[in-house]
Amino acid sequence: MSYGGYDAPRYGSRGVPGGAGGFAMGRQAGAPPGADPMLWEWFSAVDIDRSGYISAGELQRALINGDWTPFDLDTVKLLMNMFDTDRSGTIGFNEFSGLWKYIKDWQGVFRHFDRDRSGSIDGGELADALRQFGYNLSPQLLMLLERKYGLKGSGPASGPSSFPGAGGSNGITFDRFVRACVVVKQITEAFARLDSDRDGWVQINYEQFMRTVLELP
Amino acid sequence: MSYGGYDAPRYGSRGVPGGAGGFAMGRQAGAPPGADPMLWEWFSAVDIDRSGYISAGELQRALINGDWTPFDLDTVKLLMNMFDTDRSGTIGFNEFSGLWKYIKDWQGVFRHFDRDRSGSIDGGELADALRQFGYNLSPQLLMLLERKYGLKGSGPASGPSSFPGAGGSNGITFDRFVRACVVVKQITEAFARLDSDRDGWVQINYEQFMRTVLELP
């Protein structure tokens, strides 16, 4: 039994302007010897208190979506957890360069799948992305993903390729697109770990079940 | 086998000023006949586009934490899903009165458990709240909850009653406190539904597993 998978975004930036998310800030100078000056500029700009380390709060203030909304804290923490390799609770300059590249790669993925250049991902575009990543999810799961990571609170269920309904657009912003894809990856990996005999079923108790859920971003 | 439980916040507002979250806005007039004028004022102020209905975006703009940060979108959508009883994707005035009371009740709960009046809930306070609600979670699960819903991205694991570490405070804001409690309740209920023979173990496949996770707020 296979649950699909991907390790990192496979789509490089295509140089399409606008639409995705990223860092929004001014310029600062003073790169340390050996450091990529451009990267150091970004790092210094994010490190508002000049501590030499970036906190979750600083990262959240620096990251914005294509529609100028801030990244949700869960996505910021997902990124922190991924790149804070020394578990200090903050991101140093070396860790930042990995985080920077990761976000740039996801920007490329986002622009690639945002085919209608709307600046957000709809249900059909999310389904395409996940299929490309190797996940063949049922229409019901795709609908749940769109509902969970889209902007709309609720509203009539109309399938993964639904048009915007009475409650307005249900587009998925850049931050929540990254989170949705990483959640699918991690749920799939968690399930595969539990399914040691690979028969597609797992036996799980309350403690394991809740732990698995709480470890997701 | 019992997994604990609660239906609604049991602690009324104790009138302690500050600290929790809630609505932040000006006053407007023009209550329709029969409506609570105060409630209508709040509703009109949230309904920025004067459509007569509140969207997820309008609700997010209206809800702020005690530290003036906006509610995270997942908590806003949790509230929308709970009170949008006609599944319109928006909140009408009648639905708003339920939502309003629910938030007021949670403010009381938050203030009750924020014993040090810090304006945020720490790991120990969250453990107290969940215990009071009937959930006796293991120290490991409490630590995961604090890590998932607190502000800090990562950092050293030091148990549910940890002091703020090098990465700064890991306090849980009002919005994420509500979400944490509702998630624990819903995970517990989802597990109980799957555990039809009540032996504390469930047999679950990939589709059910992912559906269960994606239906959580």
Side-chain angles (χ1 to χ4, degrees):
Chain A
M1 172 106 188
S2 166
Y3 316 107
Y6 63 91
D7 290 321
R10 294 198 201 115
Y11 298 86
S13 171
R14 297 169 68 227
V16 181
F23 289 96
M25 63 206 61
R27 294 165 64 95
Q28 295 193 10
D36 176 333
M38 178 70 193
L39 201 60
W40 177 254
E41 252 182 48
W42 289 112
F43 179 80
S44 308
V46 180
D47 178 24
I48 295 166
D49 66 359
R50 302 298 198 114
S51 65
Y53 297 92
I54 292 171
S55 66
E58 287 173 334
L59 191 58
Q60 192 178 24
R61 276 189 288 276
L63 290 167
I64 54 144
N65 289 301
D67 64 355
W68 299 96
T69 55
F71 273 34
D72 68 29
L73 184 59
D74 296 277
T75 305
V76 172
K77 292 177 67 175
L78 176 163
L79 296 169
M80 294 285 292
N81 288 331
M82 210 171 257
F83 292 97
D84 175 22
T85 44
D86 64 0
R87 303 280 104 192
S88 64
T90 57
I91 297 286
F93 181 66
N94 288 335
E95 293 167 336
F96 181 75
S97 71
L99 184 146
W100 171 263
K101 181 170 183 325
Y102 188 78
I103 292 174
K104 297 295 280 180
D105 285 349
W106 272 110
Q107 287 176 323
V109 175
F110 185 89
R111 288 173 185 141
H112 176 81
F113 286 105
D114 178 23
R115 293 197 207 283
D116 63 359
R117 300 283 178 270
S118 66
S120 70
I121 294 283
D122 65 27
E125 290 165 346
L126 178 64
D128 285 347
L130 290 170
R131 203 166 23 240
Q132 204 88 51
F133 287 146
Y135 300 101
N136 285 304
L137 303 183
S138 68
Q140 195 188 3
L141 291 181
L142 290 169
M143 195 191 66
L144 282 172
L145 276 165
E146 183 188 4
R147 199 178 278 180
K148 186 171 175 70
Y149 295 102
L151 286 176
K152 239 171 56 179
S154 50
S158 50
S161 303
S162 61
F163 291 96
S169 162
N170 195 23
I172 301 169
T173 47
F174 176 73
D175 56 341
R176 295 175 74 85
F177 172 70
V178 173
R179 200 168 131 218
C181 293
V182 173
V183 161
V184 167
K185 176 176 186 281
Q186 293 196 3
I187 295 177
T188 303
E189 289 172 352
F191 188 87
R193 268 195 306 276
L194 291 162
D195 183 18
S196 46
D197 63 358
R198 311 299 269 176
D199 69 348
W201 289 84
V202 301
Q203 180 98 359
I204 190 170
N205 66 23
Y206 177 68
E207 178 88 12
Q208 293 170 316
F209 186 71
M210 193 171 294
R211 197 191 311 145
T212 304
V213 172
L214 295 178
E215 281 171 348
L216 296 170
Chain B
M1 173 109 190
S2 164
Y3 316 105
Y6 63 91
D7 289 323
R10 296 200 199 114
Y11 298 86
S13 172
R14 297 170 68 226
V16 182
F23 288 95
M25 63 205 62
R27 295 164 64 94
Q28 295 195 10
D36 176 335
M38 178 68 192
L39 201 61
W40 176 253
E41 253 181 48
W42 290 112
F43 180 81
S44 308
V46 180
D47 178 25
I48 296 167
D49 66 359
R50 302 301 197 111
S51 65
Y53 297 92
I54 292 171
S55 66
E58 287 173 334
L59 191 59
Q60 192 178 24
R61 276 190 288 276
L63 290 167
I64 55 145
N65 289 300
D67 65 355
W68 299 96
T69 56
F71 273 33
D72 68 27
L73 184 59
D74 296 278
T75 305
V76 172
K77 291 177 67 176
L78 177 163
L79 296 169
M80 294 286 291
N81 288 331
M82 209 171 258
F83 290 97
D84 175 22
T85 45
D86 64 0
R87 302 280 105 190
S88 64
T90 57
I91 297 285
F93 180 66
N94 288 336
E95 293 166 337
F96 181 74
S97 71
L99 185 146
W100 171 263
K101 183 174 182 320
Y102 187 78
I103 291 175
K104 295 297 279 182
D105 287 349
W106 272 110
Q107 286 176 324
V109 175
F110 186 89
R111 288 172 184 142
H112 177 82
F113 287 105
D114 178 23
R115 294 195 206 286
D116 64 0
R117 300 283 178 269
S118 66
S120 69
I121 294 285
D122 65 27
E125 292 165 344
L126 178 65
D128 286 347
L130 290 170
R131 201 162 28 238
Q132 204 87 51
F133 288 145
Y135 299 100
N136 286 304
L137 303 183
S138 68
Q140 195 190 2
L141 291 181
L142 290 169
M143 195 191 68
L144 282 172
L145 275 166
E146 184 187 3
R147 198 178 280 179
K148 187 173 174 67
Y149 295 101
L151 286 176
K152 237 170 56 178
S154 51
S158 49
S161 304
S162 61
F163 291 96
S169 162
N170 194 23
I172 300 169
T173 47
F174 177 72
D175 55 339
R176 294 176 74 85
F177 172 70
V178 173
R179 200 170 130 215
C181 293
V182 173
V183 161
V184 167
K185 176 177 185 282
Q186 293 196 2
I187 295 177
T188 304
E189 289 171 351
F191 188 87
R193 267 196 307 277
L194 290 163
D195 182 18
S196 46
D197 63 358
R198 311 299 271 176
D199 69 348
W201 289 85
V202 300
Q203 179 98 1
I204 190 170
N205 65 24
Y206 177 68
E207 177 89 11
Q208 293 170 317
F209 187 72
M210 191 168 297
R211 196 191 313 147
T212 304
V213 172
L214 294 179
E215 282 171 348
L216 296 171

